[in-house]
Amino acid sequence: VAVAQAASPGASVALPSIAAEFTQLPPTGAVLFSVADRDKAESLPIIRKMSAMGYKLYATEGTASMVKAVGLPVTMISKKMTEGHPNVIDIINDGTVDGVVNTLTGGQIPFRDGFHIRRASVEKRIPCFTSLDTLRAAVDAISTQNEKITTQPYPDYRTKDPA
């Protein structure tokens, strides 16, 4: 048994689970954000990091307002499928976005909208994150993918002095 270890602890924790699950999310591209009000503050550092990494940001109305308010570039996309084009389903189906972030709201109408967003991303095989913790781990793994990763026998790893 060997242990994979990256220079930063966050990358070490994220590597095993993220490498298998989210290799589809490219290191750059475009991401659609539709974040529940209760998650907006927590999502902002992740959105900032993704913007700094070069991702193009798309967001539904409320999320786009938050992103614009902090000075980040974002394209607002309507969540309401009956209010014109392009809407969230259009940009998922036409391949404009490479990933989707859709946190759950719990209300009936937003739940229905979220269902359509998540379903479209699954049908197009676009990664869809419903948890900010999972998104954060994926972004951390991508941002550290060029870090040197070393392996060593498990007994050596256990006897290593903590830094």
Side-chain angles (χ1 to χ4, degrees):
V1 173
V3 176
Q5 185 174 11
S8 64
S12 293
V13 169
L15 283 170
S17 61
I18 299 306
E21 291 289 326
F22 297 104
T23 56
Q24 299 174 44
L25 188 61
T28 60
V31 178
L32 168 65
F33 291 89
S34 182
V35 178
D37 288 342
R38 71 171 181 273
D39 298 325
K40 282 185 172 46
E42 183 183 353
S43 72
L44 197 51
I46 305 167
I47 294 170
R48 283 183 197 269
K49 185 172 187 175
M50 292 183 80
S51 178
M53 290 169 63
Y55 285 92
K56 181 168 175 49
L57 308 177
Y58 291 84
T60 54
E61 295 87 343
T63 305
S65 294
M66 174 196 67
V67 173
K68 282 182 184 176
V70 297
L72 295 175
V74 63
T75 301
M76 195 281 294
I77 299 294
S78 177
K79 184 174 12 181
K80 298 171 180 80
M81 276 67 84
T82 59
E83 292 188 8
H85 299 278
N87 59 48
V88 290
I89 302 305
D90 294 332
I91 68 167
I92 292 169
N93 286 336
D94 70 13
T96 299
V97 294
D98 304 296
V100 173
V101 178
N102 177 236
T103 64
L104 305 175
T105 60
Q108 288 295 28
I109 299 300
F111 177 75
R112 198 172 359 184
D113 292 339
F115 170 79
H116 291 295
I117 292 168
R118 292 185 298 277
R119 180 177 178 170
S121 67
V122 168
E123 288 175 353
K124 294 301 282 185
R125 297 182 165 274
I126 295 172
C128 181
F129 299 87
T130 58
S131 161
L132 293 177
D133 290 335
T134 307
L135 175 64
R136 185 179 302 105
V139 171
D140 287 348
I142 290 167
S143 70
T144 59
Q145 71 182 5
N146 292 328
E147 271 189 27
K148 181 180 176 188
I149 298 172
T150 59
T151 59
Q152 59 186 342
Y154 184 66
D156 292 351
Y157 177 78
R158 287 193 49 171
T159 60
K160 184 178 178 182
D161 289 329

mmCIF file of all heavy atoms in Angstrom, residues 55-95:
data_model
loop_
_atom_site.group_PDB
_atom_site.id
_atom_site.type_symbol
_atom_site.label_atom_id
_atom_site.label_comp_id
_atom_site.label_asym_id
_atom_site.label_seq_id
_atom_site.Cartn_x
_atom_site.Cartn_y
_atom_site.Cartn_z
ATOM 1 N N TYR A 55 -11.870 30.689 -15.464
ATOM 2 C CA TYR A 55 -13.200 30.233 -15.854
ATOM 3 C C TYR A 55 -14.071 31.426 -16.241
ATOM 4 O O TYR A 55 -14.028 32.468 -15.589
ATOM 5 C CB TYR A 55 -13.885 29.475 -14.713
ATOM 6 C CG TYR A 55 -13.355 28.084 -14.506
ATOM 7 C CD1 TYR A 55 -12.329 27.845 -13.601
ATOM 8 C CD2 TYR A 55 -13.875 27.007 -15.222
ATOM 9 C CE1 TYR A 55 -11.840 26.561 -13.409
ATOM 10 C CE2 TYR A 55 -13.388 25.724 -15.032
ATOM 11 C CZ TYR A 55 -12.370 25.515 -14.129
ATOM 12 O OH TYR A 55 -11.889 24.248 -13.944
ATOM 13 N N LYS A 56 -14.872 31.274 -17.288
ATOM 14 C CA LYS A 56 -15.888 32.256 -17.656
ATOM 15 C C LYS A 56 -17.115 31.943 -16.806
ATOM 16 O O LYS A 56 -17.505 30.784 -16.690
ATOM 17 C CB LYS A 56 -16.221 32.161 -19.139
ATOM 18 C CG LYS A 56 -17.250 33.174 -19.592
ATOM 19 C CD LYS A 56 -17.331 33.241 -21.103
ATOM 20 C CE LYS A 56 -18.426 34.143 -21.616
ATOM 21 N NZ LYS A 56 -18.515 35.461 -21.063
ATOM 22 N N LEU A 57 -17.687 32.966 -16.208
ATOM 23 C CA LEU A 57 -18.788 32.773 -15.279
ATOM 24 C C LEU A 57 -20.131 33.119 -15.912
ATOM 25 O O LEU A 57 -20.288 34.195 -16.506
ATOM 26 C CB LEU A 57 -18.593 33.640 -14.030
ATOM 27 C CG LEU A 57 -17.240 33.522 -13.311
ATOM 28 C CD1 LEU A 57 -17.187 34.505 -12.146
ATOM 29 C CD2 LEU A 57 -16.994 32.105 -12.843
ATOM 30 N N TYR A 58 -21.068 32.206 -15.764
ATOM 31 C CA TYR A 58 -22.464 32.421 -16.108
ATOM 32 C C TYR A 58 -23.243 32.202 -14.819
ATOM 33 O O TYR A 58 -22.865 31.356 -14.015
ATOM 34 C CB TYR A 58 -22.950 31.414 -17.160
ATOM 35 C CG TYR A 58 -22.345 31.616 -18.527
ATOM 36 C CD1 TYR A 58 -21.106 31.080 -18.848
ATOM 37 C CD2 TYR A 58 -23.031 32.350 -19.492
ATOM 38 C CE1 TYR A 58 -20.557 31.272 -20.101
ATOM 39 C CE2 TYR A 58 -22.482 32.543 -20.749
ATOM 40 C CZ TYR A 58 -21.247 32.000 -21.051
ATOM 41 O OH TYR A 58 -20.713 32.190 -22.294
ATOM 42 N N ALA A 59 -24.321 32.963 -14.636
ATOM 43 C CA ALA A 59 -25.090 32.795 -13.401
ATOM 44 C C ALA A 59 -26.535 33.213 -13.611
ATOM 45 O O ALA A 59 -26.841 34.072 -14.442
ATOM 46 C CB ALA A 59 -24.474 33.605 -12.265
ATOM 47 N N THR A 60 -27.408 32.594 -12.810
ATOM 48 C CA THR A 60 -28.811 32.987 -12.816
ATOM 49 C C THR A 60 -28.943 34.341 -12.122
ATOM 50 O O THR A 60 -27.998 34.832 -11.503
ATOM 51 C CB THR A 60 -29.669 31.910 -12.137
ATOM 52 O OG1 THR A 60 -29.153 31.644 -10.828
ATOM 53 C CG2 THR A 60 -29.694 30.623 -12.958
ATOM 54 N N GLU A 61 -30.112 34.930 -12.222
ATOM 55 C CA GLU A 61 -30.339 36.310 -11.826
ATOM 56 C C GLU A 61 -29.752 36.703 -10.470
ATOM 57 O O GLU A 61 -28.933 37.613 -10.369
ATOM 58 C CB GLU A 61 -31.845 36.626 -11.843
ATOM 59 C CG GLU A 61 -32.476 36.557 -13.216
ATOM 60 C CD GLU A 61 -32.970 35.162 -13.631
ATOM 61 O OE1 GLU A 61 -32.565 34.147 -13.008
ATOM 62 O OE2 GLU A 61 -33.771 35.086 -14.576
ATOM 63 N N GLY A 62 -30.177 36.036 -9.407
ATOM 64 C CA GLY A 62 -29.719 36.401 -8.063
ATOM 65 C C GLY A 62 -28.233 36.172 -7.857
ATOM 66 O O GLY A 62 -27.538 36.994 -7.251
ATOM 67 N N THR A 63 -27.734 35.077 -8.374
ATOM 68 C CA THR A 63 -26.308 34.780 -8.231
ATOM 69 C C THR A 63 -25.479 35.759 -9.043
ATOM 70 O O THR A 63 -24.437 36.247 -8.582
ATOM 71 C CB THR A 63 -26.028 33.320 -8.655
ATOM 72 O OG1 THR A 63 -26.872 32.442 -7.903
ATOM 73 C CG2 THR A 63 -24.574 32.954 -8.414
ATOM 74 N N ALA A 64 -25.942 36.106 -10.244
ATOM 75 C CA ALA A 64 -25.221 37.070 -11.082
ATOM 76 C C ALA A 64 -25.144 38.431 -10.398
ATOM 77 O O ALA A 64 -24.103 39.104 -10.451
ATOM 78 C CB ALA A 64 -25.889 37.192 -12.447
ATOM 79 N N SER A 65 -26.213 38.850 -9.732
ATOM 80 C CA SER A 65 -26.200 40.133 -9.006
ATOM 81 C C SER A 65 -25.121 40.143 -7.946
ATOM 82 O O SER A 65 -24.394 41.127 -7.785
ATOM 83 C CB SER A 65 -27.561 40.400 -8.366
ATOM 84 O OG SER A 65 -28.533 40.588 -9.356
ATOM 85 N N MET A 66 -24.987 39.031 -7.207
ATOM 86 C CA MET A 66 -23.968 38.938 -6.166
ATOM 87 C C MET A 66 -22.573 39.006 -6.781
ATOM 88 O O MET A 66 -21.693 39.715 -6.290
ATOM 89 C CB MET A 66 -24.124 37.636 -5.380
ATOM 90 C CG MET A 66 -23.015 37.404 -4.363
ATOM 91 S SD MET A 66 -22.899 35.709 -3.757
ATOM 92 C CE MET A 66 -22.385 34.807 -5.200
ATOM 93 N N VAL A 67 -22.365 38.275 -7.868
ATOM 94 C CA VAL A 67 -21.046 38.226 -8.510
ATOM 95 C C VAL A 67 -20.676 39.601 -9.068
ATOM 96 O O VAL A 67 -19.540 40.071 -8.895
ATOM 97 C CB VAL A 67 -21.023 37.135 -9.611
ATOM 98 C CG1 VAL A 67 -19.731 37.180 -10.404
ATOM 99 C CG2 VAL A 67 -21.231 35.750 -8.995
ATOM 100 N N LYS A 68 -21.614 40.262 -9.718
ATOM 101 C CA LYS A 68 -21.365 41.617 -10.250
ATOM 102 C C LYS A 68 -21.054 42.591 -9.120
ATOM 103 O O LYS A 68 -20.215 43.478 -9.271
ATOM 104 C CB LYS A 68 -22.569 42.111 -11.037
ATOM 105 C CG LYS A 68 -22.660 41.530 -12.420
ATOM 106 C CD LYS A 68 -23.853 42.103 -13.174
ATOM 107 C CE LYS A 68 -23.952 41.425 -14.523
ATOM 108 N NZ LYS A 68 -25.129 41.845 -15.290
ATOM 109 N N ALA A 69 -21.745 42.459 -7.986
ATOM 110 C CA ALA A 69 -21.564 43.376 -6.856
ATOM 111 C C ALA A 69 -20.140 43.348 -6.311
ATOM 112 O O ALA A 69 -19.689 44.339 -5.738
ATOM 113 C CB ALA A 69 -22.563 43.053 -5.744
ATOM 114 N N VAL A 70 -19.429 42.225 -6.494
ATOM 115 C CA VAL A 70 -18.044 42.157 -6.011
ATOM 116 C C VAL A 70 -17.048 42.419 -7.136
ATOM 117 O O VAL A 70 -15.848 42.241 -6.967
ATOM 118 C CB VAL A 70 -17.742 40.816 -5.305
ATOM 119 C CG1 VAL A 70 -18.607 40.656 -4.067
ATOM 120 C CG2 VAL A 70 -17.881 39.639 -6.242
ATOM 121 N N GLY A 71 -17.565 42.830 -8.308
ATOM 122 C CA GLY A 71 -16.688 43.256 -9.386
ATOM 123 C C GLY A 71 -16.156 42.167 -10.305
ATOM 124 O O GLY A 71 -15.223 42.411 -11.056
ATOM 125 N N LEU A 72 -16.747 40.988 -10.248
ATOM 126 C CA LEU A 72 -16.295 39.919 -11.134
ATOM 127 C C LEU A 72 -17.130 39.925 -12.411
ATOM 128 O O LEU A 72 -18.325 40.216 -12.375
ATOM 129 C CB LEU A 72 -16.418 38.553 -10.449
ATOM 130 C CG LEU A 72 -15.540 38.315 -9.232
ATOM 131 C CD1 LEU A 72 -15.864 36.962 -8.605
ATOM 132 C CD2 LEU A 72 -14.062 38.391 -9.597
ATOM 133 N N PRO A 73 -16.502 39.579 -13.540
ATOM 134 C CA PRO A 73 -17.270 39.511 -14.784
ATOM 135 C C PRO A 73 -18.170 38.281 -14.787
ATOM 136 O O PRO A 73 -17.750 37.184 -14.427
ATOM 137 C CB PRO A 73 -16.182 39.391 -15.860
ATOM 138 C CG PRO A 73 -15.009 38.792 -15.157
ATOM 139 C CD PRO A 73 -15.083 39.266 -13.724
ATOM 140 N N VAL A 74 -19.421 38.466 -15.173
ATOM 141 C CA VAL A 74 -20.388 37.369 -15.195
ATOM 142 C C VAL A 74 -21.434 37.670 -16.265
ATOM 143 O O VAL A 74 -21.781 38.828 -16.497
ATOM 144 C CB VAL A 74 -21.050 37.162 -13.811
ATOM 145 C CG1 VAL A 74 -21.843 38.375 -13.381
ATOM 146 C CG2 VAL A 74 -21.890 35.900 -13.775
ATOM 147 N N THR A 75 -21.907 36.631 -16.889
ATOM 148 C CA THR A 75 -23.003 36.755 -17.843
ATOM 149 C C THR A 75 -24.261 36.229 -17.174
ATOM 150 O O THR A 75 -24.292 35.074 -16.758
ATOM 151 C CB THR A 75 -22.710 35.947 -19.128
ATOM 152 O OG1 THR A 75 -21.490 36.431 -19.703
ATOM 153 C CG2 THR A 75 -23.851 36.076 -20.129
ATOM 154 N N MET A 76 -25.283 37.090 -17.075
ATOM 155 C CA MET A 76 -26.536 36.683 -16.446
ATOM 156 C C MET A 76 -27.360 35.884 -17.444
ATOM 157 O O MET A 76 -27.491 36.256 -18.598
ATOM 158 C CB MET A 76 -27.322 37.919 -15.988
ATOM 159 C CG MET A 76 -28.451 37.622 -15.020
ATOM 160 S SD MET A 76 -29.966 36.977 -15.739
ATOM 161 C CE MET A 76 -30.530 38.329 -16.720
ATOM 162 N N ILE A 77 -27.879 34.746 -16.962
ATOM 163 C CA ILE A 77 -28.706 33.855 -17.768
ATOM 164 C C ILE A 77 -30.009 33.615 -17.019
ATOM 165 O O ILE A 77 -29.995 33.327 -15.820
ATOM 166 C CB ILE A 77 -27.984 32.501 -18.010
ATOM 167 C CG1 ILE A 77 -26.676 32.706 -18.773
ATOM 168 C CG2 ILE A 77 -28.882 31.516 -18.729
ATOM 169 C CD1 ILE A 77 -26.849 33.213 -20.181
ATOM 170 N N SER A 78 -31.120 33.680 -17.729
ATOM 171 C CA SER A 78 -32.419 33.471 -17.100
ATOM 172 C C SER A 78 -32.604 32.011 -16.698
ATOM 173 O O SER A 78 -32.285 31.097 -17.453
ATOM 174 C CB SER A 78 -33.552 33.868 -18.051
ATOM 175 O OG SER A 78 -34.798 33.599 -17.445
ATOM 176 N N LYS A 79 -33.131 31.831 -15.504
ATOM 177 C CA LYS A 79 -33.463 30.492 -15.022
ATOM 178 C C LYS A 79 -34.847 30.076 -15.521
ATOM 179 O O LYS A 79 -35.155 28.900 -15.610
ATOM 180 C CB LYS A 79 -33.429 30.490 -13.490
ATOM 181 C CG LYS A 79 -33.669 29.133 -12.894
ATOM 182 C CD LYS A 79 -33.514 29.030 -11.385
ATOM 183 C CE LYS A 79 -33.403 30.258 -10.594
ATOM 184 N NZ LYS A 79 -33.247 30.025 -9.158
ATOM 185 N N LYS A 80 -35.642 31.046 -15.857
ATOM 186 C CA LYS A 80 -37.029 30.778 -16.266
ATOM 187 C C LYS A 80 -37.073 30.403 -17.742
ATOM 188 O O LYS A 80 -36.809 31.223 -18.611
ATOM 189 C CB LYS A 80 -37.891 31.990 -15.963
ATOM 190 C CG LYS A 80 -37.926 32.294 -14.474
ATOM 191 C CD LYS A 80 -38.600 33.626 -14.205
ATOM 192 C CE LYS A 80 -38.632 33.926 -12.732
ATOM 193 N NZ LYS A 80 -37.378 34.446 -12.225
ATOM 194 N N MET A 81 -37.434 29.157 -18.006
ATOM 195 C CA MET A 81 -37.441 28.656 -19.373
ATOM 196 C C MET A 81 -38.498 29.327 -20.242
ATOM 197 O O MET A 81 -38.390 29.304 -21.460
ATOM 198 C CB MET A 81 -37.660 27.134 -19.385
ATOM 199 C CG MET A 81 -36.395 26.316 -19.189
ATOM 200 S SD MET A 81 -35.620 26.445 -17.573
ATOM 201 C CE MET A 81 -36.522 25.258 -16.641
ATOM 202 N N THR A 82 -39.478 29.948 -19.637
ATOM 203 C CA THR A 82 -40.563 30.575 -20.398
ATOM 204 C C THR A 82 -40.295 32.043 -20.708
ATOM 205 O O THR A 82 -41.130 32.703 -21.319
ATOM 206 C CB THR A 82 -41.885 30.470 -19.617
ATOM 207 O OG1 THR A 82 -41.724 31.117 -18.352
ATOM 208 C CG2 THR A 82 -42.294 29.018 -19.418
ATOM 209 N N GLU A 83 -39.130 32.559 -20.291
ATOM 210 C CA GLU A 83 -38.861 33.992 -20.455
ATOM 211 C C GLU A 83 -37.759 34.268 -21.467
ATOM 212 O O GLU A 83 -36.913 35.121 -21.251
ATOM 213 C CB GLU A 83 -38.530 34.617 -19.105
ATOM 214 C CG GLU A 83 -39.719 34.641 -18.176
ATOM 215 C CD GLU A 83 -39.466 35.432 -16.909
ATOM 216 O OE1 GLU A 83 -38.424 36.101 -16.795
ATOM 217 O OE2 GLU A 83 -40.330 35.360 -16.022
ATOM 218 N N GLY A 84 -37.770 33.562 -22.567
ATOM 219 C CA GLY A 84 -36.833 33.885 -23.642
ATOM 220 C C GLY A 84 -35.584 33.034 -23.652
ATOM 221 O O GLY A 84 -35.408 32.125 -22.843
ATOM 222 N N HIS A 85 -34.738 33.383 -24.603
ATOM 223 C CA HIS A 85 -33.514 32.616 -24.841
ATOM 224 C C HIS A 85 -32.346 33.578 -24.975
ATOM 225 O O HIS A 85 -32.531 34.697 -25.424
ATOM 226 C CB HIS A 85 -33.675 31.791 -26.118
ATOM 227 C CG HIS A 85 -34.809 30.810 -26.032
ATOM 228 N ND1 HIS A 85 -34.700 29.593 -25.426
ATOM 229 C CD2 HIS A 85 -36.095 30.902 -26.466
ATOM 230 C CE1 HIS A 85 -35.867 28.963 -25.494
ATOM 231 N NE2 HIS A 85 -36.735 29.732 -26.111
ATOM 232 N N PRO A 86 -31.140 33.211 -24.605
ATOM 233 C CA PRO A 86 -30.829 31.902 -24.019
ATOM 234 C C PRO A 86 -31.220 31.840 -22.546
ATOM 235 O O PRO A 86 -31.205 32.846 -21.848
ATOM 236 C CB PRO A 86 -29.314 31.804 -24.170
ATOM 237 C CG PRO A 86 -28.834 33.216 -24.141
ATOM 238 C CD PRO A 86 -29.940 34.038 -24.767
ATOM 239 N N ASN A 87 -31.552 30.640 -22.113
ATOM 240 C CA ASN A 87 -31.811 30.397 -20.697
ATOM 241 C C ASN A 87 -30.841 29.311 -20.225
ATOM 242 O O ASN A 87 -29.993 28.862 -20.997
ATOM 243 C CB ASN A 87 -33.281 30.011 -20.454
ATOM 244 C CG ASN A 87 -33.689 28.765 -21.207
ATOM 245 O OD1 ASN A 87 -32.999 27.753 -21.186
ATOM 246 N ND2 ASN A 87 -34.829 28.831 -21.887
ATOM 247 N N VAL A 88 -30.955 28.921 -18.969
ATOM 248 C CA VAL A 88 -29.987 27.980 -18.405
ATOM 249 C C VAL A 88 -29.937 26.659 -19.174
ATOM 250 O O VAL A 88 -28.857 26.108 -19.402
ATOM 251 C CB VAL A 88 -30.245 27.710 -16.906
ATOM 252 C CG1 VAL A 88 -29.925 28.940 -16.077
ATOM 253 C CG2 VAL A 88 -31.662 27.245 -16.652
ATOM 254 N N ILE A 89 -31.077 26.168 -19.597
ATOM 255 C CA ILE A 89 -31.105 24.894 -20.326
ATOM 256 C C ILE A 89 -30.427 25.051 -21.686
ATOM 257 O O ILE A 89 -29.686 24.173 -22.125
ATOM 258 C CB ILE A 89 -32.553 24.375 -20.474
ATOM 259 C CG1 ILE A 89 -33.213 24.204 -19.093
ATOM 260 C CG2 ILE A 89 -32.596 23.075 -21.267
ATOM 261 C CD1 ILE A 89 -32.473 23.320 -18.113
ATOM 262 N N ASP A 90 -30.650 26.191 -22.340
ATOM 263 C CA ASP A 90 -30.015 26.444 -23.634
ATOM 264 C C ASP A 90 -28.493 26.380 -23.543
ATOM 265 O O ASP A 90 -27.846 25.740 -24.370
ATOM 266 C CB ASP A 90 -30.417 27.824 -24.184
ATOM 267 C CG ASP A 90 -31.880 27.933 -24.533
ATOM 268 O OD1 ASP A 90 -32.506 26.908 -24.879
ATOM 269 O OD2 ASP A 90 -32.421 29.066 -24.457
ATOM 270 N N ILE A 91 -27.912 27.054 -22.538
ATOM 271 C CA ILE A 91 -26.448 27.096 -22.486
ATOM 272 C C ILE A 91 -25.833 25.775 -22.008
ATOM 273 O O ILE A 91 -24.674 25.517 -22.265
ATOM 274 C CB ILE A 91 -25.906 28.300 -21.676
ATOM 275 C CG1 ILE A 91 -26.209 28.182 -20.191
ATOM 276 C CG2 ILE A 91 -26.412 29.607 -22.262
ATOM 277 C CD1 ILE A 91 -25.440 29.167 -19.336
ATOM 278 N N ILE A 92 -26.631 24.962 -21.345
ATOM 279 C CA ILE A 92 -26.166 23.609 -21.019
ATOM 280 C C ILE A 92 -26.229 22.745 -22.275
ATOM 281 O O ILE A 92 -25.255 22.095 -22.648
ATOM 282 C CB ILE A 92 -27.010 22.987 -19.881
ATOM 283 C CG1 ILE A 92 -26.765 23.724 -18.564
ATOM 284 C CG2 ILE A 92 -26.692 21.489 -19.739
ATOM 285 C CD1 ILE A 92 -27.739 23.365 -17.450
ATOM 286 N N ASN A 93 -27.358 22.777 -22.952
ATOM 287 C CA ASN A 93 -27.548 21.923 -24.124
ATOM 288 C C ASN A 93 -26.649 22.283 -25.300
ATOM 289 O O ASN A 93 -26.238 21.405 -26.060
ATOM 290 C CB ASN A 93 -29.014 21.934 -24.574
ATOM 291 C CG ASN A 93 -29.895 21.129 -23.648
ATOM 292 O OD1 ASN A 93 -29.440 20.226 -22.961
ATOM 293 N ND2 ASN A 93 -31.180 21.463 -23.622
ATOM 294 N N ASP A 94 -26.328 23.569 -25.464
ATOM 295 C CA ASP A 94 -25.498 23.935 -26.620
ATOM 296 C C ASP A 94 -23.998 23.867 -26.329
ATOM 297 O O ASP A 94 -23.180 24.204 -27.178
ATOM 298 C CB ASP A 94 -25.899 25.301 -27.184
ATOM 299 C CG ASP A 94 -25.541 26.481 -26.289
ATOM 300 O OD1 ASP A 94 -24.764 26.335 -25.320
ATOM 301 O OD2 ASP A 94 -26.052 27.592 -26.564
ATOM 302 N N GLY A 95 -23.630 23.428 -25.118
ATOM 303 C CA GLY A 95 -22.219 23.240 -24.796
ATOM 304 C C GLY A 95 -21.481 24.505 -24.402
ATOM 305 O O GLY A 95 -20.255 24.500 -24.320
#
